[in-house]
């Protein structure tokens, strides 16, 4: 094993919204930060080949449950946010209040920094508009959703779509904040897969990672795991925190799809508009799959007509995403051992009934539902169970800051929440450093011993 050589203030593992936010804040506060990311940093092209490598690679970024639900995560710099739909959703403040975590100031700060808001009418495509009008016509309170989008950079004529569209520059993603962290002095290592945290006397001393076939050790005063809901629990387990990776959520989803005769068009931005049926445990939004995925999901359920040229251009779609109960476990190798529970299947079915009514109202024919997939795994290292209100584990300087820490069933897009957590953790870590520096100065002023550093608490 070779050693990195440098000692860092903080090592951050993973570059999704959780990790990128902490990295940026700490680098701006002049900490020496090392960021370790398993994925690469290929320029984002929005083509299907890249999505296959980074989002749909079986066994790496695309994990399949025993009942054949596919769970996707982005393995690349920026994590899943490179492929997300850019929808911003307020956290459930009341849920986090119960655990002693108030995210209101941090979320307000994120909102002030980023252009979060509903789409301007010119950017809501004709199919989304049709869905919204049809939903309202049958009495649903369907509205434009907030997006993480620099709308002034979007041309309304620009084709919109799923992965990385409208264009890299238009949709905020976590790689942008990693770039800012690097500009402020952080070191980013890509292709660096972290396996475990080294612990001595209940204190984390460093991490072990592999990169280009080499095993490397890096040391730091604080370590933040932000490897996502499926990545961080595996590292925690390897490091001795055995309770990680049990009883979690994935926010399962299906699509209701139909065909329109007269409204044919290119992709539109998914999740432009929708409704959160909180009491029924699901949300409904418009959704437009790129052709390859539209055909793949149709073939999976025996809809062979979708291979016809232009069939996808006529598709009208609604996503039904459920707030599922906590269940299952991660296997020793990180596989997902979890089935869709009957109560969650019932929520999806209920949502499908509503979506079907909206599509029918919109004039769609041949309406069908797809198989189940998921894209929000979380709750694998829960607040109040494996991490405290400062996201600290049982080891005094080891933290988790990603979707793993969400303590209860969630059922809402998590990115904004995770950025709030990232800001809050960074504040805690910078405050801890200030406190330890003040102690050092006080000891020195009192004629005490040579410089030392307290383990921040
Ligand atoms: C297709 C899709 C659409 C989505 N749409 C939305 C949306 O509209 N709005 C929303 O809020 N959310 C959306 N999400 C969910 C959102 O993207 C994720 O919830 C969010 O990115 C999770 O952030 P995270 O920091 O927990 O982890 P991730 O984004 O998963 O990042 C984890 C990072 O850690 C890295 N990593 C993993 N293991 C290791 C390891 N051992 N060593 C080093 N690095 C490692 C990964 O490569 C990755 O970069 C979507 C997700 C997908 C897949």
């Amino acid at each position: 094993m070779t050693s990195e050589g440098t000692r860092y203030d903080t090592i951050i593992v993973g570059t999704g919204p959780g990790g990128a936010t902490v990295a940026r804040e700490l680098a701006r506060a002049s900490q020496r930060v090392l960021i370790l990311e398993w994925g690469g940093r290929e320029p984002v092209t929005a083509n299907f080949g890249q999505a296959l490598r980074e989002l749909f690679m079986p066994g790496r970024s695309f994990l399949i449950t025993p009942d054949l639900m596919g769970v996707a995560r982005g393995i690349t710099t920026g994590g899943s946010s490179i492929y997300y739909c850019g929808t911003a959703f307020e956290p459930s403040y009341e849920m986090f209040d119960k655990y002693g975590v108030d995210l209101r100031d941090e979320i307000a700060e994120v909102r002030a920094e980023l252009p979060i808001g509903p789409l301007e009418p010119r950017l809501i495509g004709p199919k989304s508009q049709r869905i919204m009008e049809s939903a309202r016509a049958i009495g649903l309170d369907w509205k434009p959703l907030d997006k993480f989008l620099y709308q002034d950079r979007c041309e309304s004529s620009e084709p919109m779509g799923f992965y990385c569209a409208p264009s890299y520059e238009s949709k905020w993603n976590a790689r942008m904040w990693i770039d800012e962290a690097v500009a402020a002095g952080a070191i980013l290592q890509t292709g660096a897969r972290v396996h475990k945290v080294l612990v001595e006397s209940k204190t984390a001393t460093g991490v072990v990672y592999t990169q280009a076939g080499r095993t490397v050790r890096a040391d730091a005063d604080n370590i933040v795991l932000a490897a996502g809901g499926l990545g961080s629990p595996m590292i925690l387990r390897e490091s001795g925190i055995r309770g990680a990776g049990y009883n979690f959520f994935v926010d399962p989803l299906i699509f209701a799809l139909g065909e329109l005769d007269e409204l044919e068009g290119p992709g539109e931005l998914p999740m432009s508009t929708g409704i959160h049926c909180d009491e029924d445990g699901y949300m409904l939004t418009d959704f437009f799959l790129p052709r390859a995925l539209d055909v793949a999901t149709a073939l999976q359920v025996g809809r062979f007509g979708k291979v016809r040229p232009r069939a996808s251009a006529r598709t009208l779609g609604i996503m039904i995403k459920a707030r599922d109960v906590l269940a299952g476990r991660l296997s020793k190798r990180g596989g997902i051992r979890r089935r869709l529970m009957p109560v969650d299947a019932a929520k999806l079915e209920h949502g499908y009934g509503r979506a079907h009514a909206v599509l029918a109202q919109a004039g769609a024919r041949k309406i069908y539902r797809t198989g189940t997939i998921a894209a929000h795994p979380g709750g694998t290292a829960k607040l109040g169970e494996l991490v405290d209100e400062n996201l600290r584990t049982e080891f005094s300087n080891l933290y988790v800051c990603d979707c793993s820490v969400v303590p209860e069933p969630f059922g809402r897009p998590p990115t904004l929440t995770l950025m709030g957590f990232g800001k809050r953790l960074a504040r805690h870590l910078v405050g801890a450093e200030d406190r330890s520096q003040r102690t050092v100065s006080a000891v020195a002023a009192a004629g005490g011993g040579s410089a030392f550093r307290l383990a921040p608490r």
Side-chain angles (χ1 to χ4, degrees):
M1 180 157 51
T2 54
S3 168
E4 257 268 338
T6 313
R7 186 173 177 84
Y8 295 92
D9 293 316
T10 305
I11 292 175
I12 296 163
V13 179
T15 59
T21 307
V22 190
R24 173 178 179 261
E25 297 292 314
L26 294 185
R28 287 178 160 190
S30 306
Q31 280 210 359
R32 279 162 303 162
V33 174
L34 172 65
I35 308 165
L36 298 171
E37 167 55 49
W38 181 9
R41 204 193 174 290
E42 260 185 64
V44 175
T45 59
N47 74 33
F48 188 60
Q50 188 173 21
L52 269 183
R53 289 192 299 281
E54 298 180 345
L55 184 66
F56 294 121
M57 182 63 72
R60 181 177 155 103
S61 53
F62 194 68
L63 305 181
I64 297 172
T65 65
D67 55 357
L68 302 184
M69 182 192 335
V71 182
R73 60 174 172 172
I75 303 285
T76 179
T77 302
S80 295
S81 77
I82 294 296
Y83 291 96
Y84 79 153
C85 304
T87 307
F89 230 80
E90 237 19 46
S92 162
Y93 293 112
E94 300 70 29
M95 176 202 296
F96 294 116
D97 285 345
K98 287 189 279 173
Y99 298 85
V101 175
D102 180 357
L103 290 176
R104 291 170 183 81
D105 288 351
E106 286 78 8
I107 298 294
E109 213 176 288
V110 176
R111 281 190 173 276
E113 281 184 71
L114 294 180
I116 297 174
L119 286 180
E120 295 163 17
R122 73 183 173 97
L123 295 174
I124 299 184
K127 290 181 183 171
S128 310
Q129 190 67 39
R130 168 84 69 99
I131 288 176
M132 182 159 64
E133 283 163 9
S134 307
R136 288 177 174 172
I138 62 167
L140 297 175
D141 187 19
W142 195 286
K143 292 182 178 144
L145 300 173
D146 279 357
K147 305 297 277 184
F148 286 101
L149 215 61
Y150 295 93
Q151 299 189 35
D152 54 340
R153 299 179 192 166
C154 298
E155 297 291 333
S156 37
S157 56
E158 188 177 11
M160 299 273 198
F162 176 30
Y163 20 84
C164 337
S167 63
Y168 179 77
E169 294 73 26
S170 314
K171 185 180 72 180
W172 179 88
N173 63 77
R175 188 181 289 187
M176 292 174 169
W177 278 12
I178 288 293
D179 288 348
E180 289 185 24
V182 170
I187 308 287
L188 168 66
Q189 295 280 358
T190 57
R193 185 176 184 184
V194 172
H195 298 278
K196 72 185 283 189
V197 177
L198 299 166
V199 177
E200 284 167 30
S201 313
K202 288 268 174 195
T203 302
T205 55
V207 300
V208 176
Y209 64 96
T210 46
Q211 188 184 39
R214 287 183 320 142
T215 302
V216 185
R217 175 194 172 128
D219 296 320
D221 290 351
N222 289 306
I223 291 160
V224 177
L225 298 183
L230 300 173
S232 290
M234 299 312 293
I235 303 171
L236 288 171
R237 275 192 196 165
E238 264 314 293
S239 316
I241 301 184
R242 300 258 162 239
Y246 293 89
N247 286 326
F248 49 93
F249 59 84
V250 294
D251 288 0
L253 65 96
I254 59 172
F255 299 106
L257 302 173
E259 216 173 278
L260 281 178
D261 289 328
E262 79 292 2
L263 192 57
E264 197 173 305
E268 295 181 15
L269 191 65
M271 301 180 75
S272 298
T273 66
I275 180 170
H276 190 204
C277 306
D278 202 17
E279 64 294 351
D280 295 316
Y282 58 79
M283 63 186 295
L284 304 177
T285 74
D286 55 53
F287 212 96
F288 305 94
L289 292 165
R291 170 133 175 95
L293 289 183
D294 191 40
V295 172
T297 52
L299 292 181
Q300 211 189 2
V301 292
R303 293 278 164 165
F304 300 105
K306 268 292 163 70
V307 293
R308 277 186 285 123
R310 294 171 51 196
S312 296
R314 293 184 180 158
T315 302
L316 196 64
I318 294 182
M319 178 181 74
I320 302 117
K321 177 158 47 199
R323 181 180 62 235
D324 54 343
V325 294
L326 304 176
R329 66 181 172 87
L330 297 180
S331 72
K332 279 195 180 137
R333 301 184 60 185
I336 304 180
R337 300 287 174 265
R338 186 188 197 289
R339 287 176 186 280
L340 185 68
M341 296 292 146
V343 62
D344 300 322
K347 286 176 205 157
L348 289 173
E349 208 45 52
H350 191 272
Y352 176 67
R354 265 192 185 146
H356 192 290
V358 174
L359 292 177
Q361 173 72 24
R365 297 180 300 109
K366 300 182 190 168
I367 300 168
Y368 67 97
R369 51 163 290 178
T370 64
T372 313
I373 57 167
H376 300 169
T380 42
K382 295 176 202 62
L383 198 55
E385 198 177 292
L386 292 189
V387 297
D388 70 10
E389 72 281 7
N390 290 318
L391 305 188
R392 184 172 34 198
T393 65
E394 63 188 75
F395 305 134
S396 61
N397 55 347
L398 173 61
Y399 299 82
V400 183
C401 185
D402 57 31
C403 213
S404 314
V405 304
V406 175
E408 296 180 16
F410 207 51
R412 53 179 78 202
T415 300
L416 184 58
T417 302
L418 303 178
M419 296 167 80
F421 269 114
K423 292 241 173 209
R424 192 169 180 276
L425 175 56
R427 196 158 286 152
H428 169 77
L429 290 173
V430 170
E433 191 176 61
D434 287 350
R435 285 195 295 281
S436 92
Q437 291 301 343
R438 276 200 300 274
T439 311
V440 171
S441 312
V443 170
S450 58
F452 67 95
R453 210 161 207 193
L454 291 182
R457 273 208 70 91

